[in-house]
Amino acid sequence: MIRKIIKIDEGKCNGCGLCATACHEGAIGMVNGKAKLLRDDFCDGLGDCLPACPTGAISFEEREAAAYDEAAVKANMAAKAQNSGMERVHAGGGCPGSRMAVFNREEAGNSCCDDGNADGADAAAKNALPASQLRQWPVQIKLAPVNAPYFNGAKLLVAADCTAYAFAGFHEKFIKNHITLVGCPKLDDVDYSEKLTEIIRNNDIQSVHVVRMEVPCCGGIENAVKKALMDSGKFIPWQVTTISISGEIIETTD
């Protein structure tokens, strides 16, 4: 029969495995580091895998294909459910490092403690390691799904890789209460503006904060965000913070 079914462009596929994870029916798997449509009869043609793909490698086509077999899909899902927890996590294949995850951090606020224990609390605070403020995974611009649910209503932080190493209080100062995306415009052979445009256009982003290093090559990430904001057609508050190579904030501009 002729019907709508997904098509995967191997040239665009980066092997992240997010589509295989999103395909609950098990139609997609990873073969030699690339996503493959393993069974036509497992693909319902609804395209849950499309928004999960960070590179736009998946599209629809109409061609001769076996009809969607719901009974076979349910049997396959039941068989997978009997596997161990680890096997279920990796059933889709691909790189676990690019699997989407959300971390429920409490919104930042002024912490308080009982007056009688203030001295003890201060001493404990000095000895405690800072808590991570990261709210989602993945953080690489290239790997983040365009329509990830954590983007809705988000304050977006777009940072150059080196900034987190240069500035000591990066989590508290910049990541806290933000959804974080990072990249290196010099080392990554990709135009960030295209991906960022889609993220801003397709989600309810509240604000954008760019954090870059003072080195000239880092201007690429600032320019990518500028272009993305213009191309998205949205008017969103944004600012740029520049970090020196010695780890100090040089300036913040709106």
Side-chain angles (χ1 to χ4, degrees):
M1 63 180 296
I2 303 294
R3 71 180 183 94
K4 185 170 71 173
I5 197 167
I6 65 157
K7 178 182 180 181
I8 302 174
D9 185 339
E10 289 190 23
K12 292 183 179 179
C13 177
N14 66 0
C16 69
L18 290 171
C19 59
T21 303
C23 180
H24 305 296
E25 292 80 11
I28 301 175
M30 304 303 295
V31 179
N32 296 325
K34 296 286 186 178
K36 295 278 189 181
L37 179 59
L38 302 179
R39 291 188 57 164
D40 288 359
D41 61 336
F42 278 17
C43 178
D44 58 12
L46 297 179
D48 287 346
C49 53
L50 266 71
C53 180
T55 64
I58 305 177
S59 60
F60 284 120
E61 66 174 346
E62 289 194 2
R63 63 171 174 83
E64 183 72 30
Y68 175 60
D69 190 340
E70 184 176 3
V73 168
K74 288 183 177 179
N76 181 56
M77 294 174 70
K80 285 184 177 180
Q82 295 177 359
N83 295 332
S84 67
M86 182 60 70
E87 288 172 336
R88 289 199 300 274
V89 168
H90 296 287
C95 174
S98 61
R99 301 282 173 88
M100 188 173 65
V102 177
F103 312 122
N104 294 320
R105 311 287 187 193
E106 292 185 3
E107 288 294 322
N110 294 325
S111 60
C112 62
C113 55
D114 183 41
D115 291 340
N117 296 322
D119 292 339
D122 287 343
K126 290 179 180 179
N127 294 326
L129 291 173
S132 172
Q133 298 298 328
L134 189 65
R135 302 177 71 90
Q136 99 292 340
W137 189 266
V139 296
Q140 289 289 335
I141 298 173
K142 294 192 298 183
L143 297 180
V146 171
N147 292 320
Y150 48 70
F151 284 128
N152 282 319
K155 297 176 181 177
L156 185 62
L157 170 68
V158 182
D161 288 346
C162 296
T163 56
Y165 294 95
F167 188 78
F170 196 82
H171 275 248
E172 286 293 320
K173 179 68 175 179
F174 299 113
I175 294 181
K176 181 181 285 186
N177 297 336
H178 286 75
I179 292 299
T180 303
L181 295 177
V182 302
C184 177
K186 184 173 183 178
L187 299 181
D188 289 342
D189 185 20
V190 65
D191 181 4
Y192 289 140
S193 66
E194 296 179 1
K195 182 71 168 289
L196 292 172
T197 297
E198 292 305 307
I199 290 173
I200 295 171
R201 178 184 292 151
N202 296 324
N203 298 283
D204 181 24
I205 302 296
Q206 298 299 302
S207 63
V208 181
H209 191 171
V210 181
V211 182
R212 54 162 294 185
M213 297 298 296
E214 64 176 323
V215 294
C217 60
C218 221
I221 202 160
E222 179 180 347
N223 291 333
V225 172
K226 285 182 181 178
K227 188 175 187 302
L229 286 167
M230 289 189 294
D231 292 348
S232 72
K234 292 185 176 181
F235 296 94
I236 298 174
W238 75 295
Q239 60 181 334
V240 180
T241 296
T242 303
I243 307 294
S244 71
I245 59 174
S246 61
E248 300 172 342
I249 295 177
I250 297 176
E251 64 175 354
T252 297
T253 59
D254 295 325

